[in-house]
Amino acid sequence: MFRFICIVVFLITFLIVTIPVLAAEWLIGKFNPKARDMSSMYIVRWGFRSILKITGVQVTVIGEENVPDEPALFIGNHRSYFDILLTYSRCKRPMGYIAKKEMKRYLTLTLWMRRIYCLFLDRDDPKEGLKTILTAAEHIKNGVSICVFPEGTRNEGEELSMMPFKDGALKIATKTGCPIVPISMNNTAEMFENHFPRIKKTHVIIEYGKPIYPDELDKDTKKRIGSHVKGIIQETIRRNAALLEEN
């Protein structure tokens, strides 16, 4: 419980203390949007890294050299609230997430999410969902990467299982031609969800797959691109499970 309490205190303090920072960031953005974007990224990344340090998590990263130096669509499996912290804490360029619309209720948190280009998806409104996808595609064109968990929600099933992908998110890549980078994460639910409300010091593995360029795929694979990416992630998390057993 001690780690959980420390994280809650840190998060509340961060959201309160950075209210004037948000105002300063807004002002910076009026004159230099790129400087604001980088500043926002560094601040949020620092916050996430601080929280991860409190958890005591040991992170093994594989394939980070596969991340291209250009805006990309990151696609990952999703089992923990900490998946966002684990992935964003390693980003080297502006990156937003597609989050469920319910996250908009948390005022200061929502402001920071918007500042780093997060989008809020209404899963019950297909028309609004399409608008979100088109906005994400515009972000990609403007140099901002997007990270999506296409399972749609946290998978609470067996550790190596995956839920069906909602393929709409993959249209971000097919519309822009940007690379898709699979992110495979093992053991993240063991940090928190498997023994709520305790935060457990544990070992997780993150692997970045080789970028997939939709326009280089054959017609059949491009048509079922969601299943193709899911298959890569599924195979990777099964392979990496053996690395956890060795430790």
Side-chain angles (χ1 to χ4, degrees):
M1 280 294 291
F2 178 72
R3 289 191 180 97
F4 178 79
I5 293 170
C6 287
I7 288 173
V8 171
V9 170
F10 177 89
L11 183 58
I12 292 173
T13 303
F14 177 88
L15 293 177
I16 293 172
V17 169
T18 57
I19 290 175
V21 177
L22 281 165
E25 292 276 281
W26 175 83
L27 186 60
I28 292 170
K30 289 291 183 180
F31 301 96
N32 193 333
K34 288 186 178 180
R36 176 204 59 200
D37 290 349
M38 295 305 294
S39 174
S40 297
M41 183 189 77
Y42 289 134
I43 291 168
V44 174
R45 194 174 66 179
W46 173 82
F48 284 175
R49 287 179 175 179
S50 298
I51 291 173
L52 291 173
K53 189 172 182 179
I54 294 171
T55 69
V57 65
Q58 175 191 347
V59 184
T60 296
V61 182
I62 302 170
E64 200 162 17
E65 68 278 1
N66 290 325
V67 178
D69 187 22
E70 61 181 309
L73 176 65
F74 292 87
I75 297 292
N77 59 312
H78 189 28
R79 297 188 57 83
S80 173
Y81 291 117
F82 283 96
D83 293 341
I84 294 174
L85 282 70
L86 288 162
T87 50
Y88 196 85
S89 64
R90 307 203 68 82
C91 71
K92 296 179 175 63
R93 60 182 304 126
M95 179 171 74
Y97 290 76
I98 293 183
K100 57 186 179 181
K101 67 173 184 177
E102 289 77 9
M103 292 296 295
K104 293 170 70 174
R105 70 184 70 167
Y106 307 110
L107 182 58
T108 309
L109 178 61
T110 301
L111 290 173
W112 272 114
M113 291 177 73
R114 290 187 187 279
R115 188 56 52 82
I116 62 170
Y117 292 97
C118 288
L119 300 170
F120 299 94
L121 178 65
D122 186 343
R123 292 175 288 188
D124 299 322
D125 188 335
K127 186 179 292 186
E128 288 300 313
L130 178 58
K131 286 182 181 179
T132 301
I133 297 302
L134 294 176
T135 302
E138 284 301 310
H139 285 346
I140 292 281
K141 292 176 183 177
N142 291 327
V144 178
S145 295
I146 296 292
C147 184
V148 183
F149 302 118
E151 290 168 284
T153 188
R154 287 181 300 108
N155 177 11
E156 299 178 3
E158 187 270 331
E159 169 63 23
L160 300 182
S161 69
M162 289 182 66
M163 298 189 297
F165 270 17
K166 293 175 171 56
D167 288 350
L170 279 298
K171 293 179 182 177
I172 298 169
T174 55
K175 286 181 177 295
T176 62
C178 77
I180 299 168
V181 180
I183 306 178
S184 308
M185 292 179 280
N186 286 70
N187 212 35
T188 59
E190 188 61 20
M191 295 176 67
F192 178 57
E193 284 76 8
N194 288 352
H195 32 74
F196 174 86
R198 291 176 56 240
I199 301 290
K200 184 178 178 182
K201 185 177 180 180
T202 190
H203 178 203
V204 305
I205 297 177
I206 303 173
E207 179 163 345
Y208 294 88
K210 293 183 178 180
I212 302 164
Y213 290 86
D215 294 340
E216 296 179 1
L217 298 174
D218 61 71
K219 186 177 180 180
D220 181 59
T221 305
K222 188 174 181 179
K223 188 176 180 180
R224 55 180 185 84
I225 192 167
S227 298
H228 177 63
V229 176
K230 179 186 174 184
I232 291 171
I233 295 173
Q234 182 76 80
E235 179 183 353
T236 305
I237 61 175
R238 287 175 176 168
R239 181 181 68 245
N240 287 343
L243 296 179
L244 291 171
E245 292 174 1
E246 290 173 4
N247 291 278

